[in-house]
Amino acid sequence: MDLSATFYFVAATAVFITGISKSGFGGGLGVMSVPLMSLYVAPQFAVAVLMPILLAMDFIIVWKYRSHWNRRVVSMLLPGAAVGLAVGGITFQWMSADVIRFAIGVLALLFVAQFVLAQRRERTPATSSTFAIFGLGALSGFASFVAHAGGPPVKGILLRQNMDKSVFVGTNTMFFFAMNAVKTLAYGAMGQFSQESISVSFVLAPMLFVGIGLGLLLHRFLAPAVFIRLVYGFLFLAGSKLLFDSAGIIWTEWIAIARY
């Protein structure tokens, strides 16, 4: 595969932002990584490239927040996440690259809409039903498997726990560390990793450490509101571009199948 300099720039930026987000603001903004990379490569290749980087990132952040996480919240979310991971694993194998691009585009715009709506609601502690926790955990597992985009579905649950900022980041990290460990084994069993994907992962890895270092610094000194709005704006643009590029191809294929 002939990868352009533009791809490496975009992918490095995505890894950098994900490192900042996961280490400083409890994740969520990593949803833009696969949509951005999918503008240049197949989504299956993008998730394979990012998987080792995300797992290494988790090891670093788990150590940093090892004493600051809520075990009860993680245990509530894992059952639904396991179901979502299983569904993602099944569908990931038969969906074409354009269908996955379309699905990622839809998820990206849904996450942006969720973010916009959340800004308009009064943020007061509230309880969530067992069904809602299971459903959001399952959506997180599915989105995580197909696009490393499992953060936004569980943010509502985490925010309602009224946790300290460090406990919020630590709880989010522990939850996704468990999911990423399972995903790494699943991707390996499915043959998603290749010599080329691993090579690209190594090239992008330095941006991981830069992003984590800056994220830990921002966690102490900077309110995340402006940064989050900016990145969600880019996510909206990337999601819209993916939908625009993939919808026409999928529609043409469906018409061809119907005529046949």
Side-chain angles (χ1 to χ4, degrees):
M1 185 184 300
D2 186 16
L3 300 175
S4 66
T6 303
F7 162 78
Y8 279 105
F9 174 78
V10 170
T13 302
V15 171
F16 174 69
I17 291 175
T18 301
I20 294 176
S21 173
K22 285 177 71 69
S23 58
F25 306 127
L29 302 182
V31 297
M32 70 179 296
S33 298
V34 173
L36 284 176
M37 293 173 66
S38 296
L39 297 174
Y40 302 92
V41 297
Q44 293 93 331
F45 184 77
V47 297
V49 167
L50 287 170
M51 190 69 262
I53 297 174
L54 292 176
L55 194 61
M57 192 181 298
D58 284 341
F59 274 115
I60 297 172
I61 303 171
V62 161
W63 177 255
K64 171 66 178 179
Y65 291 100
R66 63 191 182 280
S67 301
H68 301 85
W69 62 289
N70 190 313
R71 292 169 175 78
R72 180 184 63 86
V73 175
V74 172
S75 64
M76 287 192 310
L77 290 168
L78 284 177
V83 174
L85 287 172
V87 174
I90 294 170
T91 57
F92 191 74
Q93 296 192 70
W94 60 260
M95 284 195 295
S96 69
D98 287 308
V99 171
I100 294 178
R101 283 192 180 96
F102 183 83
I104 293 172
V106 171
L107 285 173
L109 295 185
L110 285 175
F111 294 156
V112 172
Q114 180 193 48
F115 170 75
V116 172
L117 290 174
Q119 304 307 298
R120 298 179 179 180
R121 295 172 183 167
E122 183 180 1
R123 293 187 174 182
T124 56
T127 58
S128 300
S129 68
T130 301
F131 178 78
I133 293 172
F134 183 89
L136 289 173
L139 179 59
S140 177
F142 175 80
S144 181
F145 198 99
V146 302
H148 298 318
V154 300
K155 284 299 178 285
I157 300 297
L158 295 179
L159 288 171
R160 290 185 176 190
Q161 306 306 310
N162 198 27
M163 294 182 287
D164 172 78
K165 182 170 65 172
S166 293
V167 175
F168 178 92
V169 175
T171 302
N172 183 85
T173 299
M174 290 296 181
F175 172 65
F176 283 101
F177 173 68
M179 286 214 297
N180 285 337
V182 173
K183 284 160 53 183
T184 301
L185 295 175
Y187 288 162
M190 295 165 60
Q192 292 298 314
F193 298 119
S194 65
Q195 183 177 353
E196 184 175 25
S197 73
I198 297 298
S199 298
V200 176
S201 298
F202 274 112
V203 171
L204 298 176
M207 297 306 298
L208 156 70
F209 300 102
V210 177
I212 288 178
L214 183 56
L216 293 174
L217 184 66
L218 293 176
H219 180 77
R220 296 177 57 190
F221 298 110
L222 182 68
V226 175
F227 175 75
I228 290 175
R229 289 191 180 96
L230 178 63
V231 174
Y232 269 97
F234 283 118
L235 178 62
F236 173 79
L237 295 176
S240 299
K241 181 69 163 57
L242 284 170
L243 284 181
F244 179 80
D245 289 345
S246 60
I249 297 174
I250 293 173
W251 177 254
T252 301
E253 291 177 351
W254 285 353
I255 292 296
I257 292 173
R259 288 178 177 176
Y260 179 78

